[in-house]
Amino acid sequence: SGNLGYLKWEAGPMDVRASEQMAIVRYQATLELDSGDGQGTPFQCWHTDSYELKDEVWQAVWSQATAIR
């Protein structure tokens, strides 16, 4: 379906790079995704989000999570 069910989302300290029209946020997080039965296994990842300012509103335009092994 393309939907993700998050059971946990714990973000750590964030690094931000920003200009007048764009911001990128990067941080480590602990995520836990619902495997379909209300259960999941927590995992650590690097998370990066990109935002753009459009009509005076910050909008998320890209998001990437990469598991830390």
Side-chain angles (χ1 to χ4, degrees):
S1 69
N3 294 322
L4 293 176
Y6 289 95
L7 300 173
K8 178 188 277 188
W9 185 299
E10 293 178 359
M14 297 181 183
D15 290 321
V16 178
R17 295 196 45 116
S19 68
E20 292 180 15
Q21 299 293 316
M22 178 177 270
I24 298 175
V25 181
R26 185 171 189 251
Y27 54 94
Q28 285 190 29
T30 300
L31 303 182
E32 185 174 355
L33 302 175
D34 186 343
S35 60
D37 59 1
Q39 308 245 346
T41 302
F43 64 96
Q44 292 288 115
C45 68
W46 279 106
H47 207 277
T48 306
D49 296 310
S50 173
Y51 297 88
E52 292 179 2
L53 185 61
K54 295 182 179 183
D55 299 321
E56 300 183 25
V57 175
W58 285 98
Q59 179 178 347
V61 293
W62 183 75
S63 182
Q64 170 72 41
T66 303
I68 300 171
R69 302 201 188 264

Short mmCIF file of all heavy atoms in Angstrom, two decimals:
data_model
loop_
_atom_site.label_atom_id
_atom_site.label_comp_id
_atom_site.label_asym_id
_atom_site.label_seq_id
_atom_site.Cartn_x
_atom_site.Cartn_y
_atom_site.Cartn_z
N SER A 1 0.82 -1.21 0.00
CA SER A 1 0.00 0.00 0.00
C SER A 1 0.85 1.26 0.00
O SER A 1 0.34 2.33 -0.26
CB SER A 1 -0.92 0.00 1.21
OG SER A 1 -0.17 0.17 2.40
N GLY A 2 2.14 1.11 0.34
CA GLY A 2 3.00 2.29 0.42
C GLY A 2 2.94 2.99 1.76
O GLY A 2 3.63 3.98 1.98
N ASN A 3 2.11 2.50 2.69
CA ASN A 3 2.00 3.11 4.01
C ASN A 3 2.97 2.44 4.98
O ASN A 3 3.15 1.23 4.94
CB ASN A 3 0.58 2.96 4.55
CG ASN A 3 -0.41 3.75 3.75
OD1 ASN A 3 -0.11 4.84 3.31
ND2 ASN A 3 -1.59 3.21 3.57
N LEU A 4 3.55 3.25 5.84
CA LEU A 4 4.42 2.73 6.90
C LEU A 4 3.74 3.01 8.24
O LEU A 4 3.28 4.12 8.47
CB LEU A 4 5.79 3.41 6.88
CG LEU A 4 6.67 3.14 5.69
CD1 LEU A 4 7.94 3.97 5.78
CD2 LEU A 4 7.01 1.67 5.58
N GLY A 5 3.72 2.01 9.11
CA GLY A 5 3.19 2.20 10.45
C GLY A 5 4.34 2.26 11.44
O GLY A 5 5.03 1.26 11.64
N TYR A 6 4.56 3.42 12.02
CA TYR A 6 5.66 3.59 12.98
C TYR A 6 5.16 3.28 14.38
O TYR A 6 4.16 3.82 14.83
CB TYR A 6 6.19 5.02 12.94
CG TYR A 6 6.96 5.35 11.68
CD1 TYR A 6 6.33 5.95 10.60
CD2 TYR A 6 8.30 5.04 11.58
CE1 TYR A 6 7.02 6.24 9.44
CE2 TYR A 6 9.01 5.33 10.43
CZ TYR A 6 8.37 5.93 9.37
OH TYR A 6 9.07 6.22 8.22
N LEU A 7 5.87 2.42 15.08
CA LEU A 7 5.61 2.14 16.49
C LEU A 7 6.50 2.99 17.38
O LEU A 7 6.15 3.27 18.52
CB LEU A 7 5.84 0.65 16.78
CG LEU A 7 4.97 -0.32 15.98
CD1 LEU A 7 5.42 -1.75 16.22
CD2 LEU A 7 3.51 -0.15 16.32
N LYS A 8 7.65 3.37 16.85
CA LYS A 8 8.61 4.18 17.61
C LYS A 8 9.37 5.08 16.65
O LYS A 8 9.72 4.67 15.55
CB LYS A 8 9.60 3.28 18.35
CG LYS A 8 10.66 4.04 19.14
CD LYS A 8 11.72 3.12 19.69
CE LYS A 8 11.26 2.51 20.98
NZ LYS A 8 12.33 1.76 21.66
N TRP A 9 9.60 6.30 17.10
CA TRP A 9 10.45 7.25 16.35
C TRP A 9 11.11 8.13 17.39
O TRP A 9 10.49 9.05 17.92
CB TRP A 9 9.61 8.10 15.42
CG TRP A 9 10.44 9.01 14.54
CD1 TRP A 9 11.30 10.00 14.93
CD2 TRP A 9 10.48 9.00 13.12
NE1 TRP A 9 11.85 10.60 13.86
CE2 TRP A 9 11.37 10.01 12.73
CE3 TRP A 9 9.84 8.24 12.16
CZ2 TRP A 9 11.64 10.28 11.40
CZ3 TRP A 9 10.11 8.52 10.84
CH2 TRP A 9 11.00 9.51 10.47
N GLU A 10 12.36 7.81 17.72
CA GLU A 10 13.11 8.59 18.72
C GLU A 10 14.31 9.21 18.02
O GLU A 10 15.26 8.52 17.66
CB GLU A 10 13.57 7.69 19.86
CG GLU A 10 12.43 7.16 20.70
CD GLU A 10 12.89 6.24 21.81
OE1 GLU A 10 14.11 5.97 21.94
OE2 GLU A 10 12.02 5.77 22.55
N ALA A 11 14.24 10.51 17.83
CA ALA A 11 15.32 11.23 17.15
C ALA A 11 16.38 11.69 18.14
O ALA A 11 16.07 12.08 19.26
CB ALA A 11 14.74 12.44 16.42
N GLY A 12 17.64 11.65 17.69
CA GLY A 12 18.75 12.16 18.48
C GLY A 12 19.03 13.61 18.10
O GLY A 12 18.24 14.24 17.40
N PRO A 13 20.16 14.14 18.55
CA PRO A 13 20.54 15.51 18.20
C PRO A 13 20.59 15.70 16.68
O PRO A 13 20.99 14.79 15.95
CB PRO A 13 21.93 15.66 18.81
CG PRO A 13 21.99 14.63 19.89
CD PRO A 13 21.15 13.48 19.40
N MET A 14 20.17 16.87 16.24
CA MET A 14 20.06 17.13 14.80
C MET A 14 21.10 18.14 14.33
O MET A 14 21.39 19.11 15.02
CB MET A 14 18.66 17.67 14.48
CG MET A 14 17.58 16.69 14.78
SD MET A 14 15.97 17.34 14.36
CE MET A 14 14.94 16.00 14.94
N ASP A 15 21.63 17.87 13.13
CA ASP A 15 22.48 18.83 12.42
C ASP A 15 21.62 19.44 11.32
O ASP A 15 20.91 18.72 10.61
CB ASP A 15 23.69 18.13 11.79
CG ASP A 15 24.68 17.66 12.83
OD1 ASP A 15 24.91 18.40 13.82
OD2 ASP A 15 25.23 16.57 12.67
N VAL A 16 21.69 20.76 11.18
CA VAL A 16 20.87 21.47 10.19
C VAL A 16 21.76 22.34 9.32
O VAL A 16 22.63 23.05 9.83
CB VAL A 16 19.81 22.35 10.88
CG1 VAL A 16 18.99 23.12 9.85
CG2 VAL A 16 18.91 21.52 11.78
N ARG A 17 21.54 22.26 8.01
CA ARG A 17 22.16 23.18 7.05
C ARG A 17 21.01 23.89 6.37
O ARG A 17 20.08 23.24 5.90
CB ARG A 17 23.01 22.44 6.04
CG ARG A 17 24.20 21.77 6.73
CD ARG A 17 25.27 21.36 5.78
NE ARG A 17 25.59 22.36 4.80
CZ ARG A 17 26.77 22.97 4.69
NH1 ARG A 17 27.72 22.69 5.54
NH2 ARG A 17 26.98 23.84 3.75
N ALA A 18 21.04 25.22 6.36
CA ALA A 18 19.89 25.95 5.85
C ALA A 18 20.32 27.17 5.04
O ALA A 18 21.37 27.76 5.29
CB ALA A 18 18.99 26.38 7.00
N SER A 19 19.48 27.51 4.09
CA SER A 19 19.58 28.77 3.35
C SER A 19 18.20 29.41 3.41
O SER A 19 17.31 28.93 4.12
CB SER A 19 20.00 28.50 1.90
OG SER A 19 18.97 27.83 1.20
N GLU A 20 18.00 30.47 2.65
CA GLU A 20 16.71 31.15 2.69
C GLU A 20 15.57 30.29 2.13
O GLU A 20 14.42 30.46 2.52
CB GLU A 20 16.78 32.47 1.92
CG GLU A 20 17.65 33.51 2.59
CD GLU A 20 17.69 34.81 1.80
OE1 GLU A 20 16.84 35.00 0.91
OE2 GLU A 20 18.58 35.62 2.09
N GLN A 21 15.87 29.37 1.22
CA GLN A 21 14.83 28.61 0.55
C GLN A 21 14.87 27.11 0.82
O GLN A 21 13.95 26.39 0.43
CB GLN A 21 14.92 28.83 -0.97
CG GLN A 21 14.75 30.26 -1.40
CD GLN A 21 13.35 30.77 -1.13
OE1 GLN A 21 12.38 30.08 -1.39
NE2 GLN A 21 13.23 31.97 -0.59
N MET A 22 15.95 26.61 1.46
CA MET A 22 16.08 25.17 1.64
C MET A 22 16.75 24.86 2.98
O MET A 22 17.60 25.61 3.44
CB MET A 22 16.92 24.58 0.50
CG MET A 22 17.16 23.08 0.64
SD MET A 22 18.08 22.41 -0.75
CE MET A 22 16.71 21.99 -1.79
N ALA A 23 16.37 23.72 3.57
CA ALA A 23 17.01 23.24 4.80
C ALA A 23 17.16 21.73 4.70
O ALA A 23 16.30 21.04 4.16
CB ALA A 23 16.18 23.61 6.02
N ILE A 24 18.29 21.24 5.21
CA ILE A 24 18.53 19.80 5.29
C ILE A 24 18.81 19.46 6.74
O ILE A 24 19.61 20.12 7.40
CB ILE A 24 19.71 19.37 4.39
CG1 ILE A 24 19.37 19.68 2.93
CG2 ILE A 24 20.02 17.90 4.57
CD1 ILE A 24 20.48 19.43 1.97
N VAL A 25 18.11 18.44 7.25
CA VAL A 25 18.24 18.01 8.63
C VAL A 25 18.75 16.57 8.63
O VAL A 25 18.21 15.72 7.92
CB VAL A 25 16.88 18.09 9.36
CG1 VAL A 25 17.01 17.68 10.80
CG2 VAL A 25 16.28 19.48 9.23
N ARG A 26 19.79 16.30 9.43
CA ARG A 26 20.35 14.95 9.51
C ARG A 26 20.54 14.57 10.98
O ARG A 26 21.01 15.38 11.78
CB ARG A 26 21.70 14.89 8.79
CG ARG A 26 22.28 13.48 8.74
CD ARG A 26 23.50 13.46 7.82
NE ARG A 26 23.94 12.10 7.59
CZ ARG A 26 25.05 11.58 8.09
NH1 ARG A 26 25.85 12.31 8.84
NH2 ARG A 26 25.38 10.33 7.83
N TYR A 27 20.15 13.34 11.31
CA TYR A 27 20.24 12.88 12.69
C TYR A 27 20.19 11.37 12.75
O TYR A 27 19.73 10.71 11.81
CB TYR A 27 19.11 13.48 13.54
CG TYR A 27 17.73 13.22 12.98
CD1 TYR A 27 16.97 12.13 13.41
CD2 TYR A 27 17.18 14.07 12.02
CE1 TYR A 27 15.72 11.89 12.90
CE2 TYR A 27 15.91 13.84 11.51
CZ TYR A 27 15.19 12.75 11.95
OH TYR A 27 13.95 12.51 11.44
N GLN A 28 20.63 10.80 13.87
CA GLN A 28 20.43 9.38 14.13
C GLN A 28 19.11 9.22 14.86
O GLN A 28 18.71 10.07 15.66
CB GLN A 28 21.56 8.82 14.98
CG GLN A 28 22.85 8.63 14.21
CD GLN A 28 23.87 7.84 15.01
OE1 GLN A 28 23.54 7.01 15.84
NE2 GLN A 28 25.14 8.12 14.74
N ALA A 29 18.44 8.12 14.56
CA ALA A 29 17.14 7.86 15.18
C ALA A 29 16.99 6.37 15.46
O ALA A 29 17.64 5.55 14.82
CB ALA A 29 16.01 8.33 14.27
N THR A 30 16.13 6.07 16.42
CA THR A 30 15.71 4.70 16.64
C THR A 30 14.29 4.60 16.12
O THR A 30 13.41 5.34 16.55
CB THR A 30 15.73 4.34 18.14
OG1 THR A 30 17.06 4.50 18.63
CG2 THR A 30 15.27 2.90 18.36
N LEU A 31 14.09 3.71 15.14
CA LEU A 31 12.78 3.51 14.54
C LEU A 31 12.30 2.10 14.81
O LEU A 31 13.10 1.18 14.98
CB LEU A 31 12.83 3.73 13.02
CG LEU A 31 13.35 5.06 12.50
CD1 LEU A 31 13.26 5.09 10.99
CD2 LEU A 31 12.60 6.21 13.11
N GLU A 32 10.99 1.93 14.84
CA GLU A 32 10.39 0.61 14.91
C GLU A 32 9.16 0.64 14.02
O GLU A 32 8.27 1.48 14.20
CB GLU A 32 10.01 0.25 16.34
CG GLU A 32 9.49 -1.16 16.49
CD GLU A 32 9.26 -1.53 17.94
OE1 GLU A 32 9.59 -0.75 18.85
OE2 GLU A 32 8.73 -2.63 18.17
N LEU A 33 9.12 -0.23 13.02
CA LEU A 33 8.02 -0.27 12.06
C LEU A 33 7.09 -1.44 12.37
O LEU A 33 7.54 -2.52 12.74
CB LEU A 33 8.56 -0.43 10.64
CG LEU A 33 9.53 0.66 10.18
CD1 LEU A 33 10.08 0.32 8.80
CD2 LEU A 33 8.85 2.01 10.16
N ASP A 34 5.80 -1.20 12.21
CA ASP A 34 4.80 -2.24 12.41
C ASP A 34 4.92 -3.27 11.29
O ASP A 34 4.82 -2.93 10.11
CB ASP A 34 3.41 -1.62 12.40
CG ASP A 34 2.30 -2.60 12.75
OD1 ASP A 34 2.52 -3.82 12.69
OD2 ASP A 34 1.20 -2.11 13.08
N SER A 35 5.14 -4.53 11.65
CA SER A 35 5.29 -5.59 10.65
C SER A 35 3.94 -6.14 10.19
O SER A 35 3.89 -7.12 9.45
CB SER A 35 6.16 -6.72 11.22
OG SER A 35 5.56 -7.27 12.36
N GLY A 36 2.87 -5.50 10.62
CA GLY A 36 1.53 -5.92 10.20
C GLY A 36 0.71 -6.50 11.33
O GLY A 36 -0.51 -6.64 11.22
N ASP A 37 1.38 -6.82 12.45
CA ASP A 37 0.67 -7.40 13.59
C ASP A 37 0.82 -6.55 14.85
O ASP A 37 0.62 -7.02 15.94
CB ASP A 37 1.18 -8.82 13.85
CG ASP A 37 2.69 -8.87 14.13
OD1 ASP A 37 3.33 -7.78 14.14
OD2 ASP A 37 3.22 -9.96 14.32
N GLY A 38 1.19 -5.28 14.66
CA GLY A 38 1.37 -4.38 15.80
C GLY A 38 2.69 -4.56 16.51
O GLY A 38 2.91 -3.99 17.56
N GLN A 39 3.59 -5.35 15.92
CA GLN A 39 4.91 -5.62 16.52
C GLN A 39 5.99 -5.23 15.52
O GLN A 39 5.75 -5.17 14.31
CB GLN A 39 5.03 -7.10 16.85
CG GLN A 39 3.89 -7.64 17.66
CD GLN A 39 4.32 -8.09 19.03
OE1 GLN A 39 5.49 -8.25 19.30
NE2 GLN A 39 3.36 -8.28 19.91
N GLY A 40 7.18 -5.00 16.03
CA GLY A 40 8.31 -4.68 15.18
C GLY A 40 9.60 -4.82 15.95
O GLY A 40 9.59 -5.07 17.16
N THR A 41 10.70 -4.66 15.26
CA THR A 41 12.02 -4.72 15.88
C THR A 41 12.68 -3.36 15.75
O THR A 41 12.88 -2.88 14.63
CB THR A 41 12.89 -5.79 15.18
OG1 THR A 41 12.23 -7.04 15.26
CG2 THR A 41 14.26 -5.88 15.83
N PRO A 42 13.03 -2.70 16.87
CA PRO A 42 13.69 -1.39 16.79
C PRO A 42 15.04 -1.50 16.08
O PRO A 42 15.73 -2.52 16.19
CB PRO A 42 13.88 -1.00 18.25
CG PRO A 42 12.95 -1.85 19.03
CD PRO A 42 12.82 -3.12 18.25
N PHE A 43 15.39 -0.46 15.34
CA PHE A 43 16.69 -0.39 14.68
C PHE A 43 17.17 1.05 14.64
O PHE A 43 16.38 1.98 14.69
CB PHE A 43 16.63 -0.99 13.26
CG PHE A 43 15.73 -0.25 12.32
CD1 PHE A 43 16.24 0.71 11.45
CD2 PHE A 43 14.36 -0.51 12.29
CE1 PHE A 43 15.41 1.39 10.57
CE2 PHE A 43 13.52 0.16 11.41
CZ PHE A 43 14.05 1.12 10.56
N GLN A 44 18.49 1.20 14.58
CA GLN A 44 19.13 2.51 14.49
C GLN A 44 19.30 2.89 13.03
O GLN A 44 19.59 2.03 12.19
CB GLN A 44 20.50 2.48 15.15
CG GLN A 44 20.48 2.31 16.65
CD GLN A 44 19.99 3.55 17.34
OE1 GLN A 44 18.96 3.52 17.97
NE2 GLN A 44 20.71 4.65 17.21
N CYS A 45 19.15 4.17 12.72
CA CYS A 45 19.37 4.63 11.36
C CYS A 45 19.85 6.08 11.35
O CYS A 45 19.72 6.80 12.34
CB CYS A 45 18.10 4.50 10.53
SG CYS A 45 16.79 5.63 11.02
N TRP A 46 20.46 6.44 10.23
CA TRP A 46 20.70 7.85 9.92
C TRP A 46 19.47 8.32 9.17
O TRP A 46 18.98 7.63 8.27
CB TRP A 46 21.93 8.02 9.03
CG TRP A 46 23.21 7.99 9.78
CD1 TRP A 46 24.12 6.97 9.81
CD2 TRP A 46 23.73 9.02 10.61
NE1 TRP A 46 25.17 7.30 10.61
CE2 TRP A 46 24.96 8.57 11.12
CE3 TRP A 46 23.28 10.29 11.00
CZ2 TRP A 46 25.74 9.33 11.97
CZ3 TRP A 46 24.06 11.04 11.84
CH2 TRP A 46 25.28 10.57 12.32
N HIS A 47 18.96 9.48 9.52
CA HIS A 47 17.77 10.01 8.86
C HIS A 47 18.12 11.38 8.30
O HIS A 47 18.71 12.20 8.99
CB HIS A 47 16.61 10.11 9.84
CG HIS A 47 15.28 10.02 9.19
ND1 HIS A 47 14.66 11.08 8.61
CD2 HIS A 47 14.47 8.95 8.99
CE1 HIS A 47 13.51 10.68 8.11
NE2 HIS A 47 13.37 9.39 8.33
N THR A 48 17.76 11.62 7.06
CA THR A 48 18.01 12.90 6.40
C THR A 48 16.72 13.38 5.76
O THR A 48 16.07 12.64 5.04
CB THR A 48 19.10 12.75 5.31
OG1 THR A 48 20.26 12.16 5.90
CG2 THR A 48 19.46 14.10 4.72
N ASP A 49 16.36 14.63 6.04
CA ASP A 49 15.17 15.24 5.47
C ASP A 49 15.55 16.53 4.76
O ASP A 49 16.39 17.30 5.25
CB ASP A 49 14.14 15.59 6.55
CG ASP A 49 13.61 14.36 7.26
OD1 ASP A 49 13.20 13.42 6.56
OD2 ASP A 49 13.60 14.34 8.49
N SER A 50 14.91 16.78 3.63
CA SER A 50 15.12 18.00 2.87
C SER A 50 13.81 18.79 2.84
O SER A 50 12.75 18.22 2.58
CB SER A 50 15.56 17.65 1.44
OG SER A 50 15.61 18.81 0.64
N TYR A 51 13.90 20.09 3.12
CA TYR A 51 12.73 20.96 3.14
C TYR A 51 12.96 22.13 2.20
O TYR A 51 14.09 22.62 2.06
CB TYR A 51 12.49 21.52 4.55
CG TYR A 51 12.18 20.47 5.57
CD1 TYR A 51 13.20 19.83 6.26
CD2 TYR A 51 10.87 20.10 5.86
CE1 TYR A 51 12.93 18.85 7.20
CE2 TYR A 51 10.60 19.13 6.81
CZ TYR A 51 11.63 18.52 7.47
OH TYR A 51 11.37 17.55 8.41
N GLU A 52 11.88 22.60 1.57
CA GLU A 52 11.93 23.79 0.74
C GLU A 52 10.85 24.77 1.19
O GLU A 52 9.77 24.35 1.59
CB GLU A 52 11.71 23.44 -0.73
CG GLU A 52 12.84 22.65 -1.34
CD GLU A 52 12.59 22.30 -2.80
OE1 GLU A 52 11.55 22.70 -3.36
OE2 GLU A 52 13.44 21.59 -3.36
N LEU A 53 11.17 26.05 1.11
CA LEU A 53 10.20 27.09 1.45
C LEU A 53 9.39 27.43 0.20
O LEU A 53 9.94 27.89 -0.80
CB LEU A 53 10.93 28.33 1.97
CG LEU A 53 10.07 29.46 2.48
CD1 LEU A 53 9.20 29.00 3.66
CD2 LEU A 53 10.94 30.65 2.89
N LYS A 54 8.09 27.13 0.25
CA LYS A 54 7.20 27.40 -0.88
C LYS A 54 6.00 28.20 -0.38
O LYS A 54 5.27 27.74 0.50
CB LYS A 54 6.71 26.10 -1.52
CG LYS A 54 7.83 25.29 -2.15
CD LYS A 54 7.29 24.05 -2.81
CE LYS A 54 8.44 23.28 -3.45
NZ LYS A 54 7.97 22.10 -4.18
N ASP A 55 5.82 29.38 -0.92
CA ASP A 55 4.71 30.25 -0.52
C ASP A 55 4.67 30.45 0.99
O ASP A 55 3.62 30.32 1.62
CB ASP A 55 3.37 29.70 -1.03
CG ASP A 55 3.31 29.60 -2.54
OD1 ASP A 55 3.83 30.51 -3.21
OD2 ASP A 55 2.76 28.60 -3.05
N GLU A 56 5.83 30.71 1.58
CA GLU A 56 5.99 31.00 3.01
C GLU A 56 5.70 29.82 3.93
O GLU A 56 5.50 29.99 5.13
CB GLU A 56 5.14 32.22 3.41
CG GLU A 56 5.52 33.47 2.65
CD GLU A 56 4.72 34.68 3.10
OE1 GLU A 56 4.23 34.71 4.25
OE2 GLU A 56 4.61 35.62 2.30
N VAL A 57 5.70 28.60 3.37
CA VAL A 57 5.47 27.39 4.17
C VAL A 57 6.61 26.41 3.91
O VAL A 57 6.94 26.15 2.75
CB VAL A 57 4.12 26.73 3.80
CG1 VAL A 57 3.93 25.41 4.55
CG2 VAL A 57 2.96 27.67 4.09
N TRP A 58 7.22 25.89 4.97
CA TRP A 58 8.26 24.88 4.81
C TRP A 58 7.61 23.55 4.50
O TRP A 58 6.72 23.10 5.22
CB TRP A 58 9.12 24.77 6.07
CG TRP A 58 10.06 25.92 6.22
CD1 TRP A 58 9.88 27.02 6.99
CD2 TRP A 58 11.30 26.08 5.55
NE1 TRP A 58 10.96 27.86 6.85
CE2 TRP A 58 11.85 27.31 5.97
CE3 TRP A 58 12.03 25.31 4.64
CZ2 TRP A 58 13.07 27.79 5.51
CZ3 TRP A 58 13.25 25.79 4.18
CH2 TRP A 58 13.76 27.01 4.61
N GLN A 59 8.05 22.93 3.40
CA GLN A 59 7.47 21.67 2.95
C GLN A 59 8.56 20.61 2.83
O GLN A 59 9.60 20.85 2.22
CB GLN A 59 6.81 21.87 1.59
CG GLN A 59 6.20 20.63 1.01
CD GLN A 59 5.52 20.91 -0.33
OE1 GLN A 59 5.30 22.04 -0.71
NE2 GLN A 59 5.19 19.84 -1.03
N ALA A 60 8.32 19.42 3.42
CA ALA A 60 9.25 18.31 3.26
C ALA A 60 9.16 17.82 1.82
O ALA A 60 8.07 17.57 1.31
CB ALA A 60 8.90 17.18 4.22
N VAL A 61 10.32 17.72 1.16
CA VAL A 61 10.31 17.29 -0.24
C VAL A 61 11.08 15.98 -0.45
O VAL A 61 10.95 15.36 -1.50
CB VAL A 61 10.89 18.38 -1.17
CG1 VAL A 61 9.96 19.58 -1.21
CG2 VAL A 61 12.28 18.79 -0.77
N TRP A 62 11.85 15.57 0.55
CA TRP A 62 12.62 14.33 0.42
C TRP A 62 12.97 13.83 1.81
O TRP A 62 13.27 14.62 2.71
CB TRP A 62 13.88 14.60 -0.39
CG TRP A 62 14.72 13.39 -0.66
CD1 TRP A 62 14.46 12.40 -1.56
CD2 TRP A 62 15.96 13.07 -0.06
NE1 TRP A 62 15.47 11.47 -1.53
CE2 TRP A 62 16.41 11.85 -0.62
CE3 TRP A 62 16.74 13.67 0.93
CZ2 TRP A 62 17.58 11.25 -0.23
CZ3 TRP A 62 17.92 13.05 1.30
CH2 TRP A 62 18.32 11.85 0.71
N SER A 63 12.92 12.52 1.99
CA SER A 63 13.27 11.92 3.28
C SER A 63 13.94 10.58 3.02
O SER A 63 13.48 9.80 2.19
CB SER A 63 12.01 11.73 4.12
OG SER A 63 12.33 11.20 5.38
N GLN A 64 15.03 10.32 3.76
CA GLN A 64 15.80 9.08 3.55
C GLN A 64 16.25 8.55 4.90
O GLN A 64 16.81 9.29 5.70
CB GLN A 64 17.02 9.37 2.68
CG GLN A 64 18.02 8.24 2.58
CD GLN A 64 17.51 7.09 1.74
OE1 GLN A 64 16.90 7.33 0.70
NE2 GLN A 64 17.75 5.87 2.15
N ALA A 65 15.99 7.26 5.15
CA ALA A 65 16.50 6.60 6.35
C ALA A 65 17.41 5.46 5.90
O ALA A 65 17.04 4.68 5.03
CB ALA A 65 15.36 6.06 7.20
N THR A 66 18.60 5.39 6.50
CA THR A 66 19.56 4.35 6.16
C THR A 66 19.94 3.62 7.45
O THR A 66 20.43 4.24 8.40
CB THR A 66 20.83 4.95 5.52
OG1 THR A 66 20.44 5.71 4.37
CG2 THR A 66 21.81 3.88 5.13
N ALA A 67 19.68 2.32 7.48
CA ALA A 67 19.98 1.53 8.69
C ALA A 67 21.46 1.56 9.01
O ALA A 67 22.31 1.52 8.12
CB ALA A 67 19.51 0.10 8.50
N ILE A 68 21.78 1.63 10.30
CA ILE A 68 23.16 1.55 10.78
C ILE A 68 23.39 0.10 11.18
O ILE A 68 22.69 -0.43 12.04
CB ILE A 68 23.39 2.48 11.99
CG1 ILE A 68 23.12 3.94 11.59
CG2 ILE A 68 24.79 2.30 12.55
CD1 ILE A 68 23.12 4.89 12.76
N ARG A 69 24.33 -0.53 10.55
CA ARG A 69 24.59 -1.95 10.83
C ARG A 69 25.82 -2.12 11.67
O ARG A 69 26.73 -1.44 11.67
CB ARG A 69 24.75 -2.70 9.52
CG ARG A 69 23.51 -2.55 8.68
CD ARG A 69 23.41 -3.65 7.65
NE ARG A 69 22.32 -3.37 6.74
CZ ARG A 69 21.11 -3.88 6.87
NH1 ARG A 69 20.83 -4.68 7.85
NH2 ARG A 69 20.18 -3.58 6.01
#
